[in-house]
Amino acid sequence: MILTVTLNAALDITYRVRELRPHGTHRVSEVTERPGGKGLNVARVLAALGHEVTVTGFMGGATGRVVQEQLAGTPGVLDALVPVSGATRRTTAVVDELTGDTTQLNEPGPTVTSAEWSAFQEAYGSLLGRVSAVALCGSLPPGVPVGAYAGLVRTARAAGVPVLLDTSGEPLRRGVAARPDIVKPNADELAELTGSHDPLRATQDARRRGARTVVASLGARGLLAATPEGTWHATPPARVHGNPTGAGDSAVAGLLSGLVERLPWPTRLARAVALSAATVLAPTAGEFDRAAYEELLGRVAVTGDASAA
């Protein structure tokens, strides 16, 4: 069982329009609603790969009930979300079919009280005894301490559960210092953390700050991983066009599944890159084009040096 944590879960709403024009009126050709937030996207991809997943985090209000109803219909996903008095946020993506570009609007999320935060920490600790890995994903809702992920990393490490952290800004900086097993920033998040825009130097710096392994998402250039076993760069065979929302979450699912399956790093990275690209080709986050994934998997190029740890 894998545990994913989404402290700022959402209902993801995707609109498709022929062409997005500022200040214009648009006719929407398609609307989809899915459980959202990074950890829920990761969980749905893991379940599609055949892994059993428990999801936790905060959920509240009418929007939260819709998310839970949709999760109930997802095979392989167990709902352990903690109720709050505030309403779960909505995120809205508008896909321009002419250009393939996506415009994203994200609400801040509910304000979490200190009592609700304490209830979550208790629930989280009880879940760790039943899982083989945990992913801490996404932004923090209002009211949650900025060092929340650092505390959750330390709790997982004390329980002997490997932990992956995927967040940004100050929560990432503090979380890295708590020594997570894997962090997965994108290039901008990594540069903000380390002050370096050279990805190789920045991944090595992030390891010195506490992360055991750093896997940096470089967009169309794939993934760069600095690990105790070596350094590798995995690149997709070609640039894919579509909706990039959730591509990074699918990469996290690939890394987590490879971790629990004890796959070597080059194989984990190839899976993560293929899943990420196949998600761009899918209509919404938390899904991937399976045929594209299977075709891409064998064509991801992984280069590196196992002696460069």
Side-chain angles (χ1 to χ4, degrees):
M1 179 76 73
I2 298 172
L3 176 66
T4 71
V5 175
T6 313
L7 295 179
N8 209 4
L11 178 65
D12 282 350
I13 304 167
T14 303
Y15 295 120
R16 302 185 72 87
V17 299
R18 183 180 181 278
E19 181 182 5
L20 183 61
R21 301 181 307 278
H23 316 298
T25 300
H26 300 78
R27 185 175 296 278
V28 177
S29 61
E30 182 182 355
V31 182
T32 57
E33 291 185 348
R34 295 288 188 278
K38 295 178 74 64
L40 296 188
N41 293 337
V42 171
R44 290 165 56 214
V45 174
L46 283 168
L49 291 172
H51 289 273
E52 293 187 346
V53 191
T54 296
V55 297
T56 191
F58 296 115
M59 196 62 60
T63 305
R65 288 192 291 274
V66 173
V67 170
Q68 290 186 290
E69 288 168 2
Q70 295 193 3
L71 282 175
T74 306
V77 176
L78 177 64
D79 178 355
L81 293 161
V82 176
V84 292
S85 57
T88 296
R89 66 185 178 133
R90 296 162 297 181
T91 66
T92 302
V94 183
V95 179
D96 185 320
E97 295 177 335
L98 192 63
T99 65
D101 293 335
T102 300
T103 299
Q104 191 84 15
L105 303 172
N106 295 336
E107 296 179 0
T111 298
V112 176
T113 68
S114 58
E116 289 166 342
W117 174 235
S118 296
F120 171 80
Q121 290 175 285
E122 183 176 349
Y124 172 75
S126 67
L127 289 168
L128 288 175
R130 307 196 295 271
V131 302
S132 55
V134 58
L136 308 173
C137 302
S139 62
L140 301 178
V144 172
V146 70
Y149 282 136
L152 298 180
V153 168
R154 287 191 287 267
T155 302
R157 287 178 54 82
V161 178
V163 56
L164 183 152
L165 176 62
D166 183 14
T167 188
S168 60
E170 186 65 12
L172 174 61
R173 188 184 70 80
R174 297 197 187 192
V176 165
R179 306 185 66 81
D181 295 271
I182 304 172
V183 295
K184 195 216 70 67
N186 62 33
D188 290 340
E189 293 162 350
L190 186 61
E192 182 183 2
L193 173 68
T194 65
S196 174
H197 291 273
D198 178 277
L200 181 58
R201 179 179 299 173
T203 54
Q204 293 167 342
D205 184 19
R207 286 197 67 213
R208 286 191 292 269
R209 291 168 184 257
R212 178 174 172 81
T213 289
V214 180
V215 181
S217 175
L218 307 180
R221 293 181 292 143
L223 297 175
L224 176 66
T227 83
E229 291 80 29
T231 301
W232 288 273
H233 185 193
T235 54
R239 188 182 185 96
V240 295
H241 298 278
N243 181 3
T245 307
D249 305 333
S250 291
V252 169
L255 296 172
L256 272 176
S257 63
L259 170 67
V260 299
E261 294 172 30
R262 302 180 183 274
L263 299 178
W265 270 107
T267 306
R268 295 188 206 182
L269 294 169
R271 176 183 290 180
V273 168
L275 281 170
S276 181
T279 296
V280 174
L281 299 172
T284 58
E287 300 178 359
F288 62 94
D289 184 313
R290 186 170 292 275
Y293 164 65
E294 294 173 353
E295 191 273 333
L296 288 164
L297 184 59
R299 298 200 296 129
V300 174
V302 183
T303 58
D305 183 357
S307 66

